[in-house]
């Protein structure tokens, strides 16, 4: 299993063009298609995040993200390192995530805060916390196992002039932040272009839209992600400035040693 | 120090000609604190300009940080202070960091058990940020790493003692006189008061025999982060060598007690661990000193009034995410002198507890915090309530209060009159 679906939603990864006629597909089949076409061994993203409050004031973050798929070797699905390069007061702040193929096993997470000069362990189950002031939760930022949710195909719907599959995903675990998510998937590109997140009372909590979908290294990649958090009247825009796939990344990058360095050579 | 700053400046300018990236940033911070009780005077009026520079070129990284510090309450003089200056060289299996640096080996919040590499600056007691309380030391820090294991080796040629003030608002208590048995009438148990004098500390010279060493083995095993620590160093906090001498300045034959600060060697063995369990994170520290010096109640002209005993400190803590915006961390700490003797002045056991409640609201722009350290053995405490408001990425306003209490001879109680309200303004650039 390579880099996964939620990550596609969040960081615009993937989906190779896969021309099939999929009238008989179920919701899970479609999500699996999206997942299966995400045949990326590694990825490096250079992104800019803009945080926008209800008065239109903005704060900016520049973030490097490194990911490597382990295909279940040693039970590990994927390792991710996220490092903040800007602004100065959080420069060097980093998050290391190891996710596992066993859906019952919590991720291992470490957070490094340069001001404390100390690596802190974060509870693996704290997936529902918002990440570094953004409108993305740790779970949104990481990988989500396709079988963490039950997927139902609701039908097809035209979005921005393109016909999309509309799929409802309901978390199997009761403690998930969202009661359900509704995703719009482009069938030709197998890219998720919109997700609605609903809270426990089935009210619309957040809406993610993915735009500027372009091929990078023959992989369809969303370059602009916009999360509108209705509950907090706050928005986060992620612009992917540069993305590389299937490049060599040493295993050493995904260790506490690199996390503490605050940068990758 | 000035020589160090100039050297760093030359190095930085020189490296500018190499194919390297250089960045400059810093902060400007104002910190004022006023006593709550009468006379409501200023306890701190401090302005700090910090300039940081970073340089990287391939596997080489350099960092230098300089503070310009003005404290209107202390002396109103502007000091120039090289906070940190080091060069990193990264390799496939070994990293080097050489220069003036901070090394954090502990896991406890607000307490120093295994975090003993750098001496502390307690000139404002615990009012400063921890980044400023820990004083950087010049050393060679070598880190061997492979997968889930790493081994850190420290060689520290420079000795820096703890910075403690004996004058001013945050002065540590130091008695002027002491009662000792009167040699003339000791048979009937009569005592006499003699003055206490405190000569300046003489620091160990910088030579190989005075180098301090540290080792830390880090592992990630079965979902648990574990560290084993060995440290051979000198006490940062002075041990007072007592000596009763005839006061040469006295017209009449008289005695005085001379307390000379010394920094004896100690050996330290430590263990850290942390592990998440569901929504909880459990962490702990333990530190064992086979030999530490303690004051005793008995001293004569022949005895220095010190005894050496093993000492053990431990902390067990849990952290829990109460809500998406609220986190609580609770710690139980115990300090114990082993093989205890009644003559020792310090209590055999000290039990402390800490509670840290931290919030993060409005996308981390409003961050309240409540930290309490309570010393159960002598009922003294420090309680801090503060709120950070991040007005923008560059500008942060902090408002808070420190409440200290307990008997006058306790660590927190000695500053009982220093309950204060404080304001910090910080501009990052």
């Amino acid at each position: 299993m390579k880099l996964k679906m939620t990550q596609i939603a969040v960081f615009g990864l993937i989906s190779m063009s896969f021309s099939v006629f999929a009238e008989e597909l179920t919701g899970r089949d479609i999500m699996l298609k999206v997942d299966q076409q995400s045949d990326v061994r590694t990825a490096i993203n250079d992104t800019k995040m803009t945080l926008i409050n209800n008065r239109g004031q903005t704060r900016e973050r520049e973030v490097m993200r490194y990911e490597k798929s382990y295909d279940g070797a040693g039970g590990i699905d994927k390792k991710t390192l996220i490092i903040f390069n800007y602004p100065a007061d959080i420069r060097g702040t980093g998050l290391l995530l190891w996710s596992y193929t066993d859906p019952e096993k919590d991720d291992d997470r470490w957070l490094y805060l340069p001001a404390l000069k100390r690596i802190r362990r974060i509870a693996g189950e704290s997936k529902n916390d918002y990440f570094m002031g953004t409108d993305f939760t740790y779970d949104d930022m990481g990988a989500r196992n396709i079988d963490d949710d039950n997927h139902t195909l609701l039908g097809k719907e035209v979005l921005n002039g393109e016909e999309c599959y509309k799929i409802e995903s309901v978390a199997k675990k009761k403690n998930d932040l969202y009661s359900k998510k509704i995703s719009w998937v482009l069938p030709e590109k197998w890219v998720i272009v919109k997700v609605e997140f609903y809270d426990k009372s089935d009210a619309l909590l957040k809406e993610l839209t993915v735009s500027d979908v372009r091929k990078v290294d023959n992989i369809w990649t969303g370059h602009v992600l916009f999360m509108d958090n209705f509950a907090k009247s706050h928005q986060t825009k992620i612009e992917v400035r540069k993305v590389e796939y299937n490049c060599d990344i040493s295993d050493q990058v995904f260790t506490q040693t690199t996390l503490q360095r605050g940068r990758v050579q | 120090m000035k020589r160090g700053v100039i050297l760093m400046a030359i190095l930085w300018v020189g490296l500018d000609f190499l194919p390297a990236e250089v960045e400059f940033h810093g902060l400007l911070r104002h910190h004022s604190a006023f006593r709550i009780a009468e006379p409501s005077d200023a306890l701190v009026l401090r302005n700090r300009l910090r300039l940081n520079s970073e340089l990287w070129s391939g596997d080489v990284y350099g960092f230098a940080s300089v503070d310009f510090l003005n404290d209107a309450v202390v002396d109103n003089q502007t000091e120039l202070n090289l906070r940190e200056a080091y060069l990193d060289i990264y390799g496939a299996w070994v990293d080097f960091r050489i220069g003036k640096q901070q090394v954090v080996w502990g896991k406890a919040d607000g307490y120093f058990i295994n975090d003993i590499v750098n001496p502390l600056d307690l000139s404002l007691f615990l009012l400063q940020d921890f980044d400023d309380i820990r004083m950087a030391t010049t050393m060679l820090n070598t880190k061997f790493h492979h997968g889930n294991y790493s081994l850190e080796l420290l060689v520290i040629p420079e000795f820096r003692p703890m910075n403690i003030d004996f004058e001013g608002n945050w002065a540590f208590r130091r008695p002027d006189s002491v009662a000792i048995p009167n040699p003339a009438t000791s048979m009937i148990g009569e005592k006499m008061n003699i003055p206490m004098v405190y000569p300046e500390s003489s620091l160990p010279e910088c030579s190989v025999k005075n180098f301090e060493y540290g080792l830390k083995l880090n592992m990630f095993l079965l979902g648990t982060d574990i560290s084993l620590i060995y440290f051979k160093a000198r006490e940062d906090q002075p041990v007072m060598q007592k000596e009763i001498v005839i006061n040469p300045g006295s017209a009449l034959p008289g005695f005085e007690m001379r307390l000379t600060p010394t920094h004896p060697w100690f050996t330290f063995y430590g263990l850290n661990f942390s592990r998440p369990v569901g929504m909880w994170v459990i962490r702990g520290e333990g530190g064992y000193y086979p030999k530490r010096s303690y004051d005793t109640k008995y001293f004569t002209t022949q005895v220095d009034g010190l005894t050496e005993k093993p000492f053990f400190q431990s902390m067990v803590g849990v952290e829990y995410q109460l809500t998406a915006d609220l986190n609580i961390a609770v710690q139980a700490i115990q300090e114990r002198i082993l093989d205890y003797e009644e003559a020792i002045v310090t209590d055999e056991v000290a039990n402390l507890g800490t509670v840290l409640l931290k919030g993060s609201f409005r996308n981390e722009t409003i961050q309240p915090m409540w930290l309490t350290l309570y010393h159960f053995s002598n009922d003294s405490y420090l309680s801090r309530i503060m709120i950070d408001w991040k007005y923008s990425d560059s500008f942060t306003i902090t408002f808070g209060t420190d409440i200290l209490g307990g008997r006058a001879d306790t660590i927190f109680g000695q500053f009982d009159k220093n309950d204060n309200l404080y304001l910090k303004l910080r501009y990052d650039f």
Side-chain angles (χ1 to χ4, degrees), chain B residues 118-144:
Chain B
N118 296 109
L120 305 179
D121 177 5
L122 297 180
S123 56
L124 289 185
F125 192 47
L126 296 175
L127 249 68
Q128 300 190 85
D129 294 345
F130 280 107
D131 199 25
D132 296 321
I133 287 180
R134 215 179 277 114
M135 296 191 291
T137 318
T138 303
M139 67 179 92
L140 171 65
N141 183 347
T142 307
K143 188 175 192 176
F144 302 92

Side-chain angles (χ1 to χ4, degrees), chain B residues 142-309:
Chain B
T142 307
K143 188 175 192 176
F144 302 92
H145 46 82
H146 181 72
N148 292 339
Y149 296 85
S150 66
L151 178 69
E152 293 172 56
L153 169 64
L154 308 180
V155 179
I156 310 172
E158 179 197 28
F159 175 77
R160 291 186 80 184
M162 184 182 278
N163 187 16
I164 304 172
D165 273 354
F166 296 104
E167 288 175 6
N169 292 321
W170 299 98
F172 278 69
R173 284 183 73 251
R174 200 160 71 166
D176 297 328
S177 64
V178 63
I180 63 163
N182 187 332
T185 57
S186 59
M187 296 295 283
I188 56 170
E190 200 172 283
K191 290 199 167 185
M192 59 187 261
N193 265 321
I194 61 168
M196 297 173 89
V197 293
Y198 300 89
E200 283 294 305
S201 169
S202 64
L203 300 182
E205 63 181 22
C206 182
S207 67
V208 174
K209 71 176 181 357
N210 282 326
F211 282 13
E212 297 179 345
Y213 300 92
L215 266 176
K216 182 165 170 254
L217 175 66
N218 308 301
M219 303 167 259
F220 178 64
L221 282 177
L222 303 168
T224 308
D225 289 301
I226 301 168
S227 299
L228 300 173
I229 295 169
Y230 169 82
F231 195 46
K232 175 86 177 170
R234 286 180 179 273
E235 295 276 5
D236 300 331
Q237 184 173 3
V239 171
M240 306 306 269
Q241 194 91 39
K242 296 190 189 82
E243 190 183 13
I244 297 174
V245 295
I246 295 171
N247 184 349
S250 169
L252 296 168
F255 294 98
E256 68 180 22
M257 180 175 284
R258 190 170 293 170
L259 288 103
T260 308
T262 62
H263 301 278
W265 286 97
F266 68 87
T267 306
F268 175 85
Y269 302 93
L271 166 76
N272 290 340
F273 70 89
S274 68
R275 181 190 169 85
V277 180
M279 290 296 286
W280 302 78
V281 176
I282 301 168
R283 53 193 156 90
E285 285 186 33
Y288 174 71
Y289 299 74
K291 212 163 62 177
R292 266 194 133 174
S293 296
Y294 292 94
D295 277 338
T296 62
K297 293 164 191 162
Y298 308 120
F299 39 80
T300 66
T301 48
Q302 280 79 43
V303 181
D304 62 8
L306 295 172
T307 185
E308 289 180 333
K309 294 290 170 192

Side-chain angles (χ1 to χ4, degrees), chain A residues 59-61 89 91 98 110 117-118 120-121 123 125 129 132-133 135 234 252 256 261 263 265, chain B residues 23 54 56 59 90 95 106 108-109 131 145 148 223 225 276 283 319 321 363-365 390 393:
Chain A
R59 291 185 292 152
E60 289 182 356
R61 272 107 184 78
D89 66 324
R91 184 194 189 92
W98 292 7
W110 297 267
K117 290 186 167 59
R118 207 167 74 181
R120 283 188 85 94
R121 198 70 186 269
E125 278 195 12
D129 301 346
M132 296 296 291
D135 295 290
H234 196 272
Q252 188 60 37
Q256 294 187 45
R261 285 178 189 168
R263 60 188 294 270
Q265 285 68 50
Chain B
E23 271 199 21
E54 289 182 272
W56 54 93
D59 290 334
Y90 303 131
D95 294 351
D109 289 324
D131 199 25
H145 46 82
N148 292 339
D225 289 301
R283 53 193 156 90
E319 203 172 316
Q321 194 76 34
N363 295 77
E364 297 190 359
T365 53
K390 214 163 177 51
D393 271 342

Side-chain angles (χ1 to χ4, degrees), chain B residues 378-403:
Chain B
N378 58 32
D379 289 326
S380 67
Y381 56 88
L382 162 67
S383 191
R384 170 173 298 168
I385 300 168
M386 57 173 261
I387 186 161
D388 265 350
W389 176 36
K390 214 163 177 51
Y391 177 74
S392 70
D393 271 342
S394 310
F395 190 52
T396 308
I397 301 169
T398 305
F399 184 72
T401 182
D402 283 322
I403 308 293

